[in-house]
Amino acid sequence: MALVLFNTMTGRKEPFAPREPGVVRMYVCGPTVYNYIHIGNGRAAVAFDVIRRWLQFRGFEVIYVHNYTDIDDKIIRVARETGETVRAIAERFIAAYEEDLAALGVLEPTHRPRVTEHIGPIVDLIRRLIERGVAYVRDGDVYFRVQKFPEYGKLSKQPIDRLLAGARVEIDAAKEHPLDFALWKRSEGDVAWDSPWGAGRPGWHIECSAMSMHYLGATLDIHGGGQDLIFPHHENEIAQSEAATGVTFARYWLHNGHVTVDEEKMSKSLGNVVLVRDVVREYGGRALRFFYLNTHYRQPLRFHREAIASARSAVERLDGAVAALNHALPGSVPGEAPAALLEALRAIEADFTAAMDDDFNTPEALTAMFALVRTAHAVARDPGRTRGAVEAVLARFRRLDAVLGLLSAAEDVAPADVLALVAEREAARRARDFARADALRAEIRARGYAVEDTPEGPRLKRVSRS
């Protein structure tokens, strides 16, 4: 089965083929670094991390660019309120962002450019737009002429007149048309750079076009981001990029769905903004990552505590299966994996692959992963298991988790001494030595873990040592 993905531009699933065989050039809009990221930002980071991982699993070289907006009105406002410099604000929240993404198991991108380090390419792109007559200067500001780009609105599927009627357009007498947007903003002091039009700083939209083309060329294979970026940000990126180059800016557009809290969109006015680091502190990064992946990336996702707690339990089931295999390995008899087991493992991976090839359907991929969990426990409980059988299942876990990133994320499984006690307790239970099993349960709890007996085998959960 070929990999297909949903292209926002065409509104349908399409077979994926990069422009250059074997190489995928992907750009995903990063954060404006003026605050800690919320769970909506975290969802986008995890969604495109898994997409990148799957492309690599399928054998592509992926050049992945994920930017930082480190100069913006919001950052300037925070700097004025706190008395810090714009640079200090940006550095602090870049460090926090990278800490949060590490907790979520997100791999480092190929390039993570900052706007302030790419003023030259931004100025060059604006100059090209002015020379082509699709941008104009007004008292040190530079604007893009939307009406000079006839295809404006093709991503959001709205003509200019309808976009104008439905958009909250900033009133600005300097603009030739209300939908024209800023490429360069007149500015002074430590938030300004020299340009042919005077001191200033880039507009929000131009930065992504300039940085993506700087690293990936005039045409990207995949451009991604949240659904909230379709208009105006991605629409404006298309307009300014294609007006400058005359070629298609991005061949596939991918957008992840919104995250709501109690069915309300997150907003400061409602007081319902949930930060990634707060959820990670309470439930762990892998639980939040599983929560994201248990819903298809394009679908809306409702955040609630019960779902996160359930996700944490699911991750513990994965840990338990791997732990059972690791402890079964030393007592296994020499020998290869049985042919029937190898066939079952191939069938599980085939289901996993079919799910991921169908527009990165992670919920179905997780279903395959838990089929692997059941297989793991069956092998671990088999008194006649071979070493080859255990190693084959462990290898399949590692292979599929390279895509999902659930076992290899920041948190560790229980230490070896605790896992040894779990294995000893399980042996006591099978021998119906329940007094010994209860004593071992107490010892396990004293070390900070509770053991739960399930049809699939014992499952551990962190608890307070007290």
Side-chain angles (χ1 to χ4, degrees):
M1 177 179 176
L3 170 61
V4 298
L5 49 78
F6 185 89
N7 188 351
T8 306
M9 180 65 76
T10 61
R12 63 177 182 268
K13 289 182 182 179
E14 300 177 352
F16 176 71
R19 188 179 182 193
E20 179 185 347
V23 180
V24 178
R25 292 172 171 82
M26 183 166 81
Y27 184 92
V28 176
C29 293
T32 300
V33 286
Y34 71 102
N35 204 340
Y36 298 110
I37 61 167
H38 56 67
I39 54 175
N41 307 131
R43 186 188 193 188
V46 169
F48 288 99
D49 177 62
V50 171
I51 288 169
R52 181 250 194 114
R53 286 169 180 253
W54 182 246
L55 292 168
Q56 290 175 328
F57 185 96
R58 294 289 256 111
F60 293 105
E61 175 192 352
V62 181
I63 307 171
Y64 180 30
V65 181
H66 186 58
N67 74 295
Y68 289 124
T69 296
D70 61 342
I71 182 66
D72 180 84
D73 291 342
K74 294 174 181 176
I75 304 174
I76 293 170
R77 184 180 67 247
V78 172
R80 288 172 178 165
E81 291 171 354
T82 63
E84 296 178 80
T85 65
V86 167
R87 181 179 178 83
I89 296 289
E91 291 292 345
R92 176 150 57 92
F93 288 113
I94 285 173
Y97 180 74
E98 292 179 354
E99 181 182 285
D100 288 345
L101 262 59
L104 292 173
V106 174
L107 301 177
E108 281 287 319
T110 313
H111 303 286
R112 188 168 271 169
R114 305 183 185 196
V115 175
T116 57
E117 297 173 352
H118 294 78
I119 300 299
I122 291 170
V123 168
D124 289 344
L125 181 55
I126 295 172
R127 182 187 291 113
R128 196 184 321 173
L129 291 168
I130 293 172
E131 291 171 353
R132 294 194 170 202
V134 292
Y136 56 96
V137 182
R138 288 289 185 273
D139 298 324
D141 296 324
V142 183
Y143 295 96
F144 183 86
R145 286 188 172 101
V146 166
Q147 289 182 302
K148 286 285 188 177
F149 188 71
E151 293 184 285
Y152 192 81
K154 65 180 178 179
L155 183 66
S156 53
K157 311 294 189 298
Q158 299 288 334
I160 289 178
D161 56 351
R162 194 172 300 171
L163 286 170
L164 182 59
R168 290 185 293 178
V169 178
E170 181 183 354
I171 302 300
D172 188 340
K175 293 182 181 182
E176 294 178 354
H177 187 275
L179 281 179
D180 291 353
F181 55 89
L183 302 173
W184 188 261
K185 296 182 176 183
R186 183 178 47 189
S187 185
E188 299 176 351
D190 62 351
V191 291
W193 290 263
D194 291 334
S195 82
W197 321 286
R201 57 187 175 85
W204 177 34
H205 313 295
I206 194 68
E207 65 186 54
C208 285
S209 290
M211 289 189 292
S212 63
M213 290 193 287
H214 179 76
Y215 289 96
L216 302 173
T219 299
L220 322 178
D221 291 303
I222 295 174
H223 196 313
Q227 288 179 350
D228 56 311
L229 297 180
I230 294 174
F231 182 84
H233 185 51
H234 288 167
E235 197 74 73
N236 290 350
E237 277 190 71
I238 292 168
Q240 65 202 9
S241 301
E242 296 186 1
T245 67
V247 299
T248 298
F249 176 47
R251 302 174 68 245
Y252 301 90
W253 287 87
L254 276 59
H255 294 93
N256 64 276
H258 295 298
V259 178
T260 60
V261 178
D262 297 326
E263 300 183 358
E264 295 276 357
K265 187 176 180 180
M266 280 187 292
S267 71
K268 289 183 178 179
S269 61
L270 293 174
N272 66 348
V273 175
V274 180
L275 300 181
V276 164
R277 57 186 39 220
D278 290 340
V279 179
V280 168
R281 189 178 298 117
E282 185 173 357
Y283 295 96
R286 293 188 296 156
L288 182 53
R289 186 178 178 97
F290 186 99
F291 169 73
Y292 291 140
L293 299 184
N294 205 30
T295 297
H296 191 278
Y297 81 96
R298 285 194 291 112
Q299 299 304 312
L301 178 59
R302 185 171 75 88
F303 175 84
H304 55 99
R305 300 287 171 177
E306 295 82 359
I308 294 292
S310 177
R312 181 170 60 185
S313 295
V315 169
E316 289 166 356
R317 288 176 61 198
L318 293 173
D319 286 348
V322 174
L325 291 168
N326 281 326
H327 282 279
L329 192 58
S332 302
V333 300
E336 301 296 322
L341 174 63
L342 294 178
E343 182 57 36
L345 294 177
R346 282 192 289 269
I348 288 171
E349 182 165 327
D351 289 343
F352 185 96
T353 298
M356 292 301 297
D357 273 350
D358 184 13
D359 193 30
F360 316 105
N361 190 336
T362 53
E364 288 299 318
L366 286 170
T367 297
M369 199 70 166
F370 281 99
L372 188 58
V373 167
R374 293 189 292 274
T375 300
H377 284 296
V379 169
R381 288 196 299 263
D382 180 5
R385 64 186 176 272
T386 63
R387 186 176 185 87
V390 177
E391 290 176 339
V393 183
L394 281 170
R396 199 70 57 158
F397 265 114
R398 288 192 294 270
R399 178 170 168 79
L400 301 188
D401 187 63
V403 177
L404 299 179
L406 292 166
L407 296 172
S408 57
E411 301 166 23
D412 295 324
V413 299
D417 59 337
V418 173
L419 295 174
L421 290 172
V422 172
E424 186 179 348
R425 177 181 173 275
E426 185 67 5
R429 288 182 68 246
R430 287 198 298 267
R432 305 187 67 78
D433 186 354
F434 298 117
R436 177 62 178 156
D438 288 344
L440 288 165
R441 180 195 289 273
E443 175 63 20
I444 292 165
R445 187 170 187 90
R447 298 187 187 213
Y449 292 85
V451 61
E452 176 186 356
D453 297 313
T454 76
E456 296 170 344
R459 191 165 68 197
L460 283 175
K461 180 179 181 181
R462 283 187 179 89
V463 295
S464 170
R465 288 177 182 265
S466 61

